[in-house]
Amino acid sequence: MISHPVVRALRSSVRCWRHRAVLGAALEASDVGSWRRYSTPGMEEVLARVVAPLPSYETRDKSPPPPESNSLEFMHFYRSLDREDRLGFLSKLSQDFGVDHKTVSELAVKLLDTQLRDPATVLQAEDRLRYNLTPRYKQLLSHISRVEGGVKFLVDLRADLIEIISSKASESAHIRDLNGTLKGLLSEWFSVGLLRLERITWQSPCEILQKISQYEAVHPVRNWTDLKRRVGPYRRCYAFTHAAMPGEPLVVLHVALTEDISDNIQSIVREFTNLDSEEDVNKINSAIFYSISSTQAGLQGVELGNYLIKRVVRELQGLLSQYRKEGRGSDLLSEQEWKEVEQATDSTPGSPAVDSLRKLIVTGEWTRSERLSGVLEPVLMRLCAWYLYGEKRRGFALNPVANFHLQNGATMWRLNWHADTSPRGVANSCGIMVNYRYFLKETSKNSALYLQNKVITASEQVLGLVSQYQKNSKL
């Protein structure tokens, strides 16, 4: 609560502010009068008719919504105005149909008078003041968003406000407040949970493709062939859309899927593979986000691009992971290793060799062939190293035994080939076993690194095998 002297001082200040506000409003009204030469006949009548009064605090939840015709009339009238008349119209809307400053001043004084009363009374006074700080036009904007084409209309209206402010056609504080109010509403309506991620392809509607071409602001699209390539093999184009603005991409992201990280933009926007070629997932190691464009000027300041990038990253990670899981797994072995497997199993290249190898590993029959065992040793050792070191669950080792020892500060020290050649050992881990070594002076540090930063302490042998896996698997 606030002490009596402070309350009296604040009350006096508020009253002084109220008198100054009345004088300031009168002065600003005289300034705005200069815009009235742009007034269109009926402007005042239209606003008085379509901007409903703010319901009283007591009836705020009981008042019926204004008719839809109010919103439609506002939209139709605004679209009929030229640029200068729109400025006058928005100036009048923002000043004459905003916050009732006189009522707010009175409620502020009443709030100060309640400071020594019970909390319920104070909270109700605060809520009453908060409610009356809502501009009258905010209710109209909310209702416009519910009619067909209303959200797009408001996005375009805010684009006009941004242009007015940036060009200094008006420096009215009321115009800036109208812009801030509309930005807040648009931020709610275009929150990430309400946006839809769409991949744009050559099969997308022609209207969408044409807008993608027109909106590209970073690397202009030269022609239809250029556009076709940008949505073709080894390329991705994604956009956020909204149900209230069908057929309108809000922000567009172009991605190049490459084998290496490109060192120049020409290799991305000028050089393409054949339009009819099929993607080889094993040649995709990098995703280059080379262009992102916001398409709606009225959504300036509404965070969309950041969310789009994050969504596309997750989308590509999942997609490429799925492709690799559905593949035949040939990238797990080098070409030379596959040749040796084919020779050792007397199988032909391709799927027969994969099927033969899968059968031999499942049955454990591979252990009976010294030649095949020698071929598979480097393969299985690096796969095992990656499983223990690289496969994670919530950032920690997926293997429960590994997770236990690493939490306790052990070092993943050595993988051992043919360490358990019993039928169970071969079936469970192809006979491979791992040593976890405890260096007593380092266990506390290792444990903290793992638990806090999810860093696994491993030996050079293990890290070398992990490196071999990464190189051969092209993940």
Side-chain angles (χ1 to χ4, degrees):
M1 300 300 177
I2 305 175
S3 65
H4 287 289
V6 175
V7 169
R8 287 195 294 271
L10 288 172
R11 186 183 296 115
S12 176
S13 298
V14 169
R15 285 172 178 152
C16 291
W17 172 86
R18 187 170 58 200
H19 293 307
R20 289 197 299 271
V22 172
L23 177 60
L27 291 173
E28 188 162 352
S30 65
D31 292 338
V32 173
S34 62
W35 295 114
R36 289 178 181 166
R37 63 178 180 273
Y38 303 129
S39 291
T40 295
M43 185 180 292
E44 292 82 358
E45 291 82 356
V46 169
L47 287 173
R49 188 164 52 248
V50 302
V51 186
L54 190 70
S56 68
Y57 180 78
E58 290 74 19
T59 64
R60 64 193 185 283
D61 297 326
K62 303 175 184 178
S63 300
E68 185 177 295
S69 58
N70 285 11
S71 300
L72 295 174
E73 182 179 359
F74 181 93
M75 294 165 63
H76 177 74
F77 186 81
Y78 184 80
R79 285 170 174 156
S80 71
L81 301 175
D82 59 26
R83 182 177 179 181
E84 292 180 343
D85 284 336
R86 288 184 177 186
L87 173 55
F89 187 69
L90 293 174
S91 297
K92 177 165 281 296
L93 173 68
S94 62
Q95 178 172 322
D96 297 350
F97 299 88
V99 172
D100 184 342
H101 297 292
K102 181 175 180 296
T103 300
V104 167
S105 300
E106 293 170 352
L107 290 173
V109 172
K110 290 180 180 179
L111 175 60
L112 292 174
D113 289 339
T114 65
Q115 293 302 304
L116 299 179
R117 301 183 64 181
D118 61 281
T121 302
V122 175
L123 290 173
Q124 186 181 48
E126 290 176 347
D127 191 50
R128 186 183 293 269
L129 175 60
R130 186 183 303 113
Y131 174 74
N132 280 274
L133 283 168
T134 303
R136 279 179 61 184
Y137 55 70
K138 184 175 182 180
Q139 180 179 243
L140 172 66
L141 299 178
S142 296
H143 286 289
I144 289 175
S145 72
R146 300 170 192 171
V147 304
E148 184 176 356
V151 172
K152 173 60 175 171
F153 170 83
L154 292 174
V155 170
D156 293 340
L157 187 147
R158 182 162 183 259
D160 290 345
L161 287 169
I162 292 172
E163 183 180 1
I164 289 170
I165 294 171
S166 62
S167 66
K168 297 186 178 181
S170 171
E171 298 185 2
S172 166
H174 294 291
I175 286 285
R176 290 196 297 272
D177 191 58
L178 172 59
N179 177 60
T181 299
L182 186 50
K183 177 187 175 183
L185 290 172
L186 292 173
S187 295
E188 293 178 11
W189 300 333
F190 287 89
S191 62
V192 66
L194 301 177
L195 299 175
R196 179 184 174 190
L197 178 67
E198 288 191 25
R199 180 185 170 189
I200 310 300
T201 68
W202 192 241
Q203 285 68 46
S204 297
C206 183
E207 295 79 6
I208 294 290
L209 289 169
Q210 188 168 4
K211 288 178 179 178
I212 293 295
S213 176
Q214 293 172 347
Y215 288 143
E216 174 54 34
V218 184
H219 304 289
V221 178
R222 299 187 297 277
N223 48 47
W224 282 103
T225 301
D226 186 12
L227 178 60
K228 186 175 183 180
R229 286 170 172 162
R230 296 194 191 197
V231 297
Y234 298 100
R235 296 294 183 268
R236 295 291 187 273
C237 178
Y238 291 95
F240 265 153
T241 60
H242 193 283
M245 292 175 58
E248 279 286 347
L250 306 177
V251 57
V252 181
L253 177 65
H254 288 274
V255 185
L257 304 179
T258 63
E259 192 165 5
D260 300 301
I261 298 177
S262 303
D263 59 4
N264 66 89
I265 191 62
Q266 280 69 35
S267 65
I268 294 175
V269 299
R270 298 287 182 181
E271 300 174 13
F272 298 94
T273 56
N274 189 288
L275 291 174
D276 299 321
S277 65
E278 292 187 5
E279 290 181 354
D280 181 356
V281 70
N282 296 310
K283 293 182 178 180
I284 300 174
N285 295 317
S286 304
I288 312 297
F289 293 33
Y290 67 92
S291 173
I292 185 167
S293 300
S294 178
T295 68
Q296 308 294 321
L299 292 179
Q300 178 181 314
V302 178
E303 188 60 72
L304 296 176
N306 182 37
Y307 293 125
L308 177 59
I309 290 174
K310 291 178 180 177
R311 282 284 301 276
V312 170
V313 167
R314 293 196 297 269
E315 179 84 3
L316 291 175
Q317 285 177 331
L319 185 64
L320 295 178
S321 176
Q322 179 182 354
Y323 282 169
R324 287 179 172 125
K325 287 180 180 178
E326 292 175 351
R328 63 187 182 92
S330 61
D331 57 340
L332 297 178
L333 281 70
S334 67
E335 291 185 11
Q336 180 59 35
E337 288 169 339
W338 273 116
K339 290 179 181 179
E340 293 176 0
V341 168
E342 291 158 8
Q343 293 172 2
T345 58
D346 295 323
S347 57
T348 56
S351 296
V354 176
D355 294 338
S356 297
L357 180 59
R358 182 181 294 112
K359 180 180 179 180
L360 289 170
I361 290 179
V362 169
T363 60
E365 293 179 5
W366 64 274
T367 58
R368 301 176 186 176
S369 168
E370 184 176 345
R371 181 181 180 185
L372 188 57
S373 179
V375 172
L376 292 180
E377 178 180 356
V379 177
L380 296 176
M381 286 286 280
R382 66 177 181 251
L383 286 174
C384 181
W386 177 256
Y387 166 67
L388 294 173
Y389 184 89
E391 293 296 330
K392 305 290 179 63
R393 182 175 183 271
R394 297 177 181 174
F396 297 104
L398 178 64
N399 181 272
V401 176
N403 186 49
F404 170 79
H405 288 293
L406 294 170
Q407 285 183 350
N408 292 330
T411 297
M412 191 178 290
W413 189 59
R414 187 174 65 193
L415 265 66
N416 303 284
W417 179 249
H418 281 334
D420 183 359
T421 56
S422 67
R424 183 176 181 179
V426 172
N428 286 345
S429 62
C430 295
I432 303 173
M433 296 188 72
V434 57
N435 296 125
Y436 295 96
R437 187 167 178 178
Y438 287 83
F439 297 93
L440 297 182
K441 293 182 179 180
E442 299 177 5
T443 53
S444 296
K445 180 187 70 174
N446 293 346
S447 177
L449 281 173
Y450 182 68
L451 294 173
Q452 296 173 15
N453 302 324
K454 301 175 181 177
V455 173
I456 294 177
T457 303
S459 67
E460 291 186 5
Q461 184 230 21
V462 173
L463 295 176
L465 290 169
V466 168
S467 177
Q468 291 175 29
Y469 170 83
Q470 293 172 323
K471 179 180 179 181
N472 283 275
S473 65
K474 300 180 182 179
L475 287 179

